[in-house]
Amino acid sequence: MQDHYDPAAIERAAQDYWDRTAAFAARENSGGRKFYCLSMFPYPSGRLHMGHVRNYTIGDVLARFMRMQGRTVMQPMGWDAFGLPAENAAMQNGVPPAQWTRDNIAYMKGQLQSLGLAIDWRREIATCDPAYYRWNQWLFLRMLEKGIAYRRTGVVNWDPVDQTVLANEQVIDGRGWRTGALIEKREIPMYYLNITRYAQELLDSLEDLEGWPERVRLMQANWIGRSVGTEIGFAYGPDLARLMGAEGRLKVFTTRADTLFGATFLAIAAEHPIATAVAAHDEGIAAFVAECKRGSVMEADLAMQEKKGVRTGLHVLHPFTGKPVEVWIANYVLMAYGEGAVMGVPAHDQRDFEFALRTGIPIETVVKSATGAYITVSAPWQDAYGEHGVTVNSGEFSGLDYQAAVDAIAAALEARGIGRKRVQFRLRDWGISRQRYWGCPIPLIHCPACGDVPVPEEQLPVVLPEDLVPDGSGNPLTKTAAFYACGCPRCGADARRETDTMDTFVDSSWYFLRFASFDNAQAMVDERVRYWMPVDQYIGGIEHAILHLLYARFWTKVMRDLQLPSVDEPFSNLLTQGMVLNHIYSRDLAEGRRQFFDPAQVTSTERAAGGKRFTTQLPGGAVVDVQYQGLGKMAKSSNNGVDPQQLVERFGADTVRLFVMFTAPPEQTLEWSDEGVLGSSRFLRRLWTIVHEHVAAGPAPALETSALDGGQKALRRIAHQTLAKVTDDIGRRRTFNTAIAAVMELLNALGRFTDASAQGRAVRQEACAIVAVCLSPIVPHVCHALWQALGHEGALIDQPWPRHDAAALVQDEIEISVQVNGKMRARVSVAAGADEATVRAVVMADERVRRFVGMAQPRKMIYVPAKLVNIVV
RNA sequence: GCCCGGAUGGCGAAAUUGGUAGACGCAAGGGACUUAAAAUCCCUAGGGGGCAACUCCGUGCCGGUUCGAUUCCGGCUCCGGGCACCA
């Protein structure tokens, strides 16, 4: 007998066995329904963090479970290998991003393998590999042909000191993170993908995604944001027509056409052509427009800034009354939504109301509540009346309810050709151009004579040079003639290659298709996609609930429409794992820069007078004050990721897997703490000991279920209850923590079971085997070893998942809870099949029940079969 | 600011369809074994009151529906995620 649990040796042996037998090589049509199990591929940041361990263990549990259920499982793995952190690391260390990335991949692959994941590594892909990203380029060109990809200008964060475009993450409080300079918005040409063309389908098919969490479907639906409203063209007043040099109409989009008669101003975005035209002649307005262009492009910043506006002095004419309506420029109007202009109705919109109070714009009530009360608003302590009601003071449209008013007004506008009902989506087209080096080159050539010329297909891929080191002052590709200097494919003249690269969301929008066609050098995807897709189970962080999942759904539909092997929806079932959060500590350096610390290094904590917590930490003996920043997601940029490697080395992969699955249900946010990991280690040692003590006594005799005594039946009942519960918890509920708790209870029962008789040993043998099977998806190495120790032929991974024996669950007596007036008062035992009358009689005969009911006459008795009786007195 | 979640013992959590609140585990305390420690095993444990039988309170806060609410509804507070260039 191996008398002590040695995870290192056990895990090596099990992993050797799986490697030797190529146990996880996925082959099409190898019997059983296919099950494509996919976890979101990692960014190779350097080391795994606990979020990865959680993600990949969940996937692995499901992959192994489904395999034992007889499915043909594919679980692949890849690397989301392009991105900003590689450039930052390059700047810090002077190492090219390619080298840094590949080193990280090699290290992290070893870490993943040490976890014993049932992955088909033959299918491994890295998005920075030209053999992968050439297909990004190829499909982009197909999209260009179809008009799905197009070029227009877009707004970016501009750092005037480094003369470079910054990502939102690199803008802190409106300043560049390296220079501390105030950030400006800048408009530059970019390529866009026309995702809005698919907005309706992306919205509609959410309804069919029954295997997705409701909250994700809701978030996506709100993000797409379909609204039905009315487009209204306000005729230019004479002053505006003069400025613009022609008659014209200023279009707005509104969902509240019923309030049109209350529109006392129009507000346009600072980027609106009219704003640009006014600013050219008016210094004050030019200053305001310039002010709006300062700061970052982030929506959160825009939405929280103080609402400001400036009067243009220009007017449009109300379409029904002909009255002049003032035009304002406001910082809260988004050029990207609707027409970049809104009508302001202070009486019926809270934001407009507050704006009007500050600026003296008139407030005109045009809707009253349907119940009749006449509502007027005009004072600062009041609120706008934003409810749907009945129109008043609206000329021929007065006295109508919301829908009737909207319909009548839209019809009247349409009859005059100055407005119409239409659908507006909040979703915007996807800008994919990035002014960065470490990404997939956009395959275009700019020719002075021919314009933008696509790179011919036979010249793909446009290979990214891998030896450049960025220095923070823009994209090094723009300084590398060997990359950008080229001939025009059309006329042969000297031309310049596009130096922008693609958003890394492009790389992750179709990698799940490539896993099915991983070795095809001739085509992006092939017929094997039709076998494996859609992904049966996708697992990843809730932080990807909108962007990644929406882009992947869009890209999949585009490929379908380009007649490539694809599907309508890529992911049938989605499990969004909760974030693994950790505490964040930092200190401020000069120039608004900030240094982050590993929480494990923070040694002592004191509370400062100001209320914020300051702590002291000792990296290599030095003591510095650090600031507590609260809880946050584990990220390389805040240096708060826990390295699971130390835990794996100390306790073994099984302990780490068990712990991370036991600590919380998968969808829940997890505040990281490695207290408790000892308990998981202890449990596995106990499991090892109990099974080996049983095995040491020699082979168990055959089980005879008809010959069992009460204690033997009881253990067998627990074992089969556990099997049934684990099957349901993993297979349906995905609550791995409760599955583990159930097995712990079974193991506790096994520990108390001392029956050394022949049938006692037979029951124990069966129970031990059930434990090994139930835990094998979660802690596969130790279960692999225990299965052998229990004397079984063949590997546990190849065993079919057993069904519980329903006969073992039968109980003679059951317990009924008794409440009096809804409060728990007693418990009574009744025969398992007892009818209601019998149960009532037993309950009323119970001494405790009689005491609580007393002399009172029961008014009512609620009976929940086999569970509960509530006596109401 | 907007959209989406979450809140239950000292801690992580459980309660699956409105029906026994706190399963399972961590940390803690007590005990056994041991020269000792580690390891292991046993016991205790939501809070208050009571010698005890027992009893009252208790699932973020306020209110509602119900025989019965951690669970459903309305209103808040705090925390987390996302907000289109972090991935």
Side-chain angles (χ1 to χ4, degrees), chain A residues 517-536:
Chain A
S517 318
F518 68 108
D519 55 0
N520 191 333
Q522 310 320 314
M524 183 177 192
V525 285
D526 59 37
E527 288 304 307
R528 289 173 289 178
V529 162
R530 298 198 200 278
Y531 175 77
W532 289 112
M533 288 296 290
V535 172
D536 295 279

Side-chain angles (χ1 to χ4, degrees), chain A residues 22 68 118 191 219 243 286 296 348 401 470 498 524 548 606 628 749 759 797 810 863:
Chain A
M68 292 177 80
Y191 289 93
M219 280 191 262
L243 174 78
S296 81
H348 304 294
D401 67 18
E498 172 66 56
M524 183 177 192
H548 161 61
E606 283 170 52
Y628 182 63
Q759 281 307 303
I797 189 68
V810 173
Y863 174 64

